[in-house]
Amino acid sequence: MANLEPCNHAQDETAKDVVGSLRGGLGLDMLEPDGDTTARPGQPGGETLVLDAVQSALRLRKDLTNLVLKQLDAVARGGYRAIDWWLICALHSTSMAKAKPKVTKLVTSKAAKQQLTPQLLRAAVVGHGAALRPYYATHLELAGQLLRATDATARQLGRSLYVMLLQEFGESYDRQELIGCLLTHVGSGNEPEVDAALQALVELSTEHTAALSQFSAFLTGVLDHLDALTLLQARLVFDLFARLACDAPDASRLPDELAIIIRKQLTNANVKYKRLGVLGGCCLLSRIGARRDGSGAECTETERAESSRAGEEAGGPQPMDAPRIEQAREMLELMLKNSTAADGSRGCALPSPPSLQPHPPHPPPPNPPTPQTYP
C-alpha cells in the first residue's frame, strides 16, 4: 500500500511526484475489500483505511486540495483510473464551500470529454459500497451536477451514476433519497435535465424493476403534471409506469390507476390530453404484449424463438393469458374509439418518429475508445 505521509509535506514542485505515486500505488485490486471480514473480523478493510487516510491528509492540509486538483486535471486522455474517482470524492467531501465548485467543474469537464466514463465509475463504485458509504451524499451531489450539465455526454454519465448507486446501496432510505433527487430533476423545468432524469428512471425500471416499484407511491405524483411535459417526456413517463405496472411482481393498484388515468385522458375533449392518452395506451399495450417467462423477466430472443417452436409443436403459438388479452382489447378499442385522424391524436399511435423515441440507456460514443481495465 502506498505511503500517504508525503501528502502532508507536498509543495508545488513535489506535488506531481507525490500525487503520481499516490495514484500509482493505490490500485483498487490491491486493496482488501471491506466486505471480506474473514481476515480481520470487526476491523475496517483496506479500502476504508485508504479513504480515511486520504481524507485526513486533505483536512490537515487545506492547500493540498488545489495541488491534487491540478494534477488530476492534467491527467491525459485515457489515463484516469478507478482510484481517481475516490480521490475526487474525498476532495469534494473535505473541500470548503468555495472549493467545491472547482471539483464539480473538473468532473463535468472530464465527463464531457469522455475521460470519466461509465465503465470507470462502475469499476470505482460497484462492489465498494461499504467503503464508499460515508460518501453516498457526495455521490448524489456529483450525479446531480452531472445531470444538470449542458453537455449531453456529462448528463449520460450522471444517469449511469444514479443507476449504479441504486444498485450498490440497497438500504431503503438510501434509495428513497436517490428517487427524491431524480424527482427534483424532473420538476426542474430544464428540458435536457428533465429528459435525462426520466431516462434514468426508465432505465431503473428496466434493470431494477422490483427495487424501483417499492417507491411507486412517490413516483405517481409525476402523472399529475403530464400536461407540463413535452411529448417525449410524457412518453418516457408512460413507459416508466407501464413497466412498473406490468413487470413488477408487487405492482399492487398501479395497473388499475394507470389504466384509469389513460381512460380519462382519452375521453377528454381537449386534443392535448387525448394525445397523451394515446401515448399512454401505446406504452401500456407494449408492456402487456411483451412475451415473458415465468419469473416476470422479459424473454431473450433465443427464449422467444424456443417458445414459438414449442407453440408450433403444440399446434399453434402460445397465447397471452386471458386477463391480459381482455385488458389489451379494452385499451385498444378505447384508443380507436376516442382518437381520430382529423385532430391528429391518432397519429400518436403510429410508430414513433426518432424525436419521440426514448434514448437507449447507454448510447455508444461516436469513436469508442480502446477497452481498458481499471485497477
Side-chain angles (χ1 to χ4, degrees):
M1 185 178 299
N3 182 13
L4 302 181
E5 180 63 23
C7 291
N8 298 333
H9 308 286
Q11 302 297 329
D12 287 319
E13 60 272 14
T14 60
K16 183 176 181 179
D17 293 336
V18 171
V19 176
S21 299
L22 182 66
R23 296 176 62 244
L26 288 178
L28 299 190
D29 57 335
M30 300 167 56
L31 301 178
E32 175 192 340
D34 282 23
D36 183 8
T37 59
T38 57
R40 294 180 300 170
Q43 298 295 321
E47 295 179 349
T48 296
L49 293 175
V50 165
L51 279 167
D52 287 347
V54 171
Q55 193 174 51
S56 297
L58 292 172
R59 284 174 175 166
L60 183 63
R61 285 283 305 276
K62 300 299 182 184
D63 59 328
L64 194 60
T65 297
N66 288 331
L67 295 177
V68 177
L69 272 176
K70 186 183 297 184
Q71 296 306 316
L72 289 176
D73 190 37
V75 175
R77 182 182 180 89
Y80 278 95
R81 309 176 63 205
I83 191 64
D84 292 327
W85 182 253
W86 284 23
L87 291 175
I88 288 171
C89 291
L91 286 169
H92 189 276
S93 64
T94 57
S95 297
M96 303 295 290
K98 293 182 179 180
K100 285 185 184 292
K102 296 181 181 179
V103 182
T104 301
K105 182 179 179 181
L106 172 70
V107 171
T108 54
S109 173
K110 297 303 181 181
K113 297 175 183 177
Q114 298 184 14
Q115 291 179 270
L116 290 177
T117 63
Q119 293 80 9
L120 186 146
L121 262 61
R122 179 167 293 278
V125 174
V126 176
H128 306 287
L132 295 175
R133 158 62 54 193
Y135 302 90
Y136 183 70
T138 296
H139 278 84
L140 287 181
E141 188 171 347
L142 290 174
Q145 293 291 346
L146 286 168
L147 216 64
R148 286 188 285 269
T150 56
D151 183 83
T153 305
R155 292 196 299 273
Q156 176 190 332
L157 185 64
R159 287 166 42 200
S160 300
L161 183 53
Y162 271 122
V163 174
M164 294 174 205
L165 293 176
L166 185 132
Q167 173 185 345
E168 184 63 24
F169 297 91
E171 296 293 338
S172 179
Y173 54 84
D174 288 332
R175 289 179 168 178
Q176 182 174 327
E177 185 177 3
L178 185 149
I179 299 302
C181 291
L182 286 173
L183 290 177
T184 300
H185 291 302
V186 172
S188 67
N190 180 13
E191 185 172 334
E193 181 181 348
V194 175
D195 290 346
L198 289 173
Q199 289 160 7
L201 286 169
V202 171
E203 187 172 346
L204 288 173
S205 71
T206 303
E207 298 182 5
H208 306 283
T209 310
L212 191 64
S213 67
Q214 299 176 14
F215 306 96
S216 57
F218 296 96
L219 296 168
T220 50
V222 178
L223 294 170
D224 297 331
H225 305 282
L226 285 170
D227 55 343
L229 303 177
T230 65
L231 285 179
L232 169 61
Q233 292 166 354
R235 182 182 179 89
L236 289 169
V237 170
F238 281 123
D239 190 16
L240 164 66
F241 283 100
R243 291 179 181 276
L244 293 178
C246 297
D247 301 351
D250 54 349
S252 186
R253 298 184 303 171
L254 186 58
D256 293 336
E257 293 177 0
L258 182 60
I260 290 172
I261 290 173
I262 294 174
R263 286 191 183 96
K264 286 183 177 179
Q265 291 171 330
L266 285 171
T267 55
N268 195 302
N270 190 317
V271 177
K272 177 180 180 179
Y273 292 102
K274 192 176 295 186
R275 290 174 178 172
L276 290 174
V278 174
L279 277 178
C282 289
C283 290
L284 186 58
L285 286 173
S286 70
R287 299 316 305 163
I288 293 175
R291 283 183 178 269
R292 316 196 64 77
D293 62 19
S295 65
E298 195 164 348
C299 294
T300 63
E301 292 296 331
T302 302
E303 292 169 335
R304 292 181 185 182
E306 292 176 351
S307 176
S308 297
R309 286 195 297 269
E312 292 173 359
E313 293 173 359
Q318 294 292 326
M320 292 189 298
D321 55 90
R324 285 201 173 194
I325 292 177
E326 181 64 19
Q327 185 183 8
R329 183 187 64 79
E330 290 180 356
M331 180 58 63
L332 184 58
E333 289 179 352
L334 189 65
M335 290 169 59
L336 293 175
K337 177 181 178 181
N338 291 280
S339 62
T340 64
D343 60 17
S345 59
R346 185 165 293 181
C348 292
L350 299 175
S352 301
S355 61
L356 280 182
Q357 293 179 354
H359 298 297
H362 296 298
N367 298 308
T370 303
Q372 303 180 40
T373 58
Y374 301 100

